[in-house]
Amino acid sequence: MQPFDYTVAPDVDAATRAGAVPGTRFVAGGTNLVDLMKLGVEAPAHVVDVNALTVRDPSLAAITDLPDGGMRLGALARMSDTGWDARVRERYPAVSESLLLAASGQLRNMATLGGNVLQRTRCPYFRDTGTPCNKREPGSGCPSIPGHNRENAVLGTSKHCIATHPSDLAVALAAFDATLRVRTPGGTDRAIAFTEFHLTPGDHPERETVLQPGEFITAIDLPPLAAARHSTYRKVRDRASYAFALVSAAVALDVQGGTVRDARIAMGGLATKPWRARDAERALLGGPATDANFRAAAEVALKGAVPYSENAFKIEMAKRTIVRALTEVSV
């Protein structure tokens, strides 16, 4: 690990000003950044600890109701606290499930929501500094395309990168049209639609989000959605605990009189960013909540998927996962 400066930010504006300096990283739970620093993937010159921000502003770690019936999740709220919160479990069960199915109990107690949606890929080539990686070293190549790619993406890929986004929570947030609240180094606030927050690799896989240097996520807003109460997060992985998704789906349905009034489908483990299947949702709207329609929607969701040498199985697995999740929330 290379030497670095370490400071504790006294408030959000101080943190954003410090974060705007090149080579600076924020740290809260540290469950992703510290690992990457040990591997040599990340080598920040300056680390800004943001945990103490909640002393001055407790809302940064709070879970609060919004006047419109939605919910605000503080970016420094811990995964475990949010996942077990009774209001979250009742009104946004897919969010709760996505958090409680992630990582391990110890990591969930440390990791924050803001850090979770910013975590970096688990592609083995990205994490091995002895191999090329366009995400880590732009222009060096993507060995995963001809090499080991079982865990990697079939949607949103490019000739430069096929790494998946690892967050479970981000899949549920994409399904529910969440909004990120962000403080800029200039002291102003801006809102970012969650589905527009992460970037597909294109020609620049090193660019992962639309955040600008120094910008700090302060909260995640969930809108009021009737369908959200009838939602679930299904995760398929190699072992039952402490494993990343091969395929996952966050789905929600609002069914009235046997007719689908609202449908939400987002997928994880399959794409280079949390993947919202809007065409599949539209295929369900106005029709009956039947197995045949669920299967048809799953086909639409995976249309355009491009498999590689080791991960073609993900396409059929994803279709079955979507159908199972939709069936579960339709009853």
Side-chain angles (χ1 to χ4, degrees):
M1 185 182 292
Q2 296 184 8
F4 58 91
D5 294 327
Y6 171 85
T7 59
V8 176
D11 55 53
V12 173
D13 289 335
T16 59
R17 290 192 298 270
V21 177
T24 300
R25 295 289 186 271
F26 297 128
V27 65
T31 58
N32 189 214
L33 177 64
V34 174
D35 280 350
L36 295 178
M37 290 173 68
K38 290 178 179 178
L39 293 170
V41 175
E42 291 267 12
H46 187 192
V47 173
V48 179
D49 190 326
V50 296
N51 287 289
L53 299 182
T54 59
V55 175
R56 177 168 292 189
D57 186 357
S59 70
L60 291 169
I63 300 169
T64 55
D65 294 329
L66 295 174
D68 64 359
M71 185 174 288
R72 175 164 292 173
L73 311 176
L76 292 179
R78 305 294 161 169
M79 291 173 61
S80 55
D81 292 337
T82 309
W84 288 112
D85 184 274
R87 294 162 297 168
V88 177
R89 297 181 73 183
E90 178 185 3
R91 291 155 59 183
Y92 303 92
V95 171
S96 172
E97 292 165 7
S98 71
L99 288 165
L100 298 178
L101 288 171
S104 66
Q106 294 91 333
L107 289 173
R108 292 192 296 270
N109 287 339
M110 294 177 62
T112 62
L113 304 188
N116 181 279
V117 300
L118 286 170
Q119 67 181 296
R120 308 194 70 187
T121 183
R122 297 290 165 156
C123 176
Y125 297 104
F126 170 75
R127 295 170 66 85
D128 181 358
T129 57
T131 65
C133 172
N134 284 325
K135 187 177 286 293
R136 180 168 29 82
E137 298 179 32
S140 63
C142 177
S144 183
I145 292 175
H148 175 63
N149 48 50
R150 177 178 180 268
E151 291 81 21
N152 281 354
V154 297
L155 290 166
T157 60
S158 78
K159 64 181 180 180
H160 300 290
C161 183
I162 61 171
T164 53
H165 191 274
S167 171
D168 295 294
L169 171 63
V171 181
L173 297 180
F176 294 150
D177 285 321
T179 299
L180 294 180
R181 302 293 172 183
V182 174
R183 180 72 56 82
T184 72
T188 60
D189 296 312
R190 71 178 180 123
I192 305 171
F194 193 80
T195 52
E196 298 174 6
F197 178 67
H198 295 96
L199 301 172
T200 54
D203 292 332
H204 294 281
E206 75 279 8
R207 299 177 186 171
E208 298 179 348
T209 75
V210 299
L211 280 183
Q212 298 300 309
E215 289 190 322
F216 181 78
I217 301 172
T218 58
I220 302 166
D221 287 355
L222 293 165
L225 292 172
R229 292 179 179 268
H230 306 283
S231 67
T232 192
Y233 181 74
R234 303 294 304 183
K235 181 175 182 179
V236 182
R237 46 189 168 172
D238 284 326
R239 57 180 184 270
S241 179
Y242 199 36
F244 290 88
L246 289 170
V247 166
S248 68
V251 307
L253 284 180
D254 180 15
V255 181
Q256 299 179 26
T259 300
V260 177
R261 300 299 183 187
D262 189 14
R264 304 298 176 107
I265 302 173
M267 298 179 289
L270 289 165
T272 54
K273 60 176 284 185
W275 199 259
R276 181 74 175 272
R278 295 188 187 275
D279 287 344
E281 294 170 357
R282 285 190 284 269
L284 289 170
L285 293 179
T290 63
D291 183 72
N293 283 351
F294 295 161
R295 292 183 183 278
E299 291 290 335
V300 173
L302 274 297
K303 185 178 180 180
V306 178
Y308 293 85
S309 58
E310 298 177 347
N311 66 2
F313 72 94
K314 284 193 173 191
I315 296 175
E316 179 60 28
M317 181 181 284
K319 294 175 184 177
R320 297 185 183 194
T321 302
I322 291 169
V323 171
R324 180 174 178 181
L326 288 170
T327 301
E328 181 177 331
V329 299
S330 67
V331 296

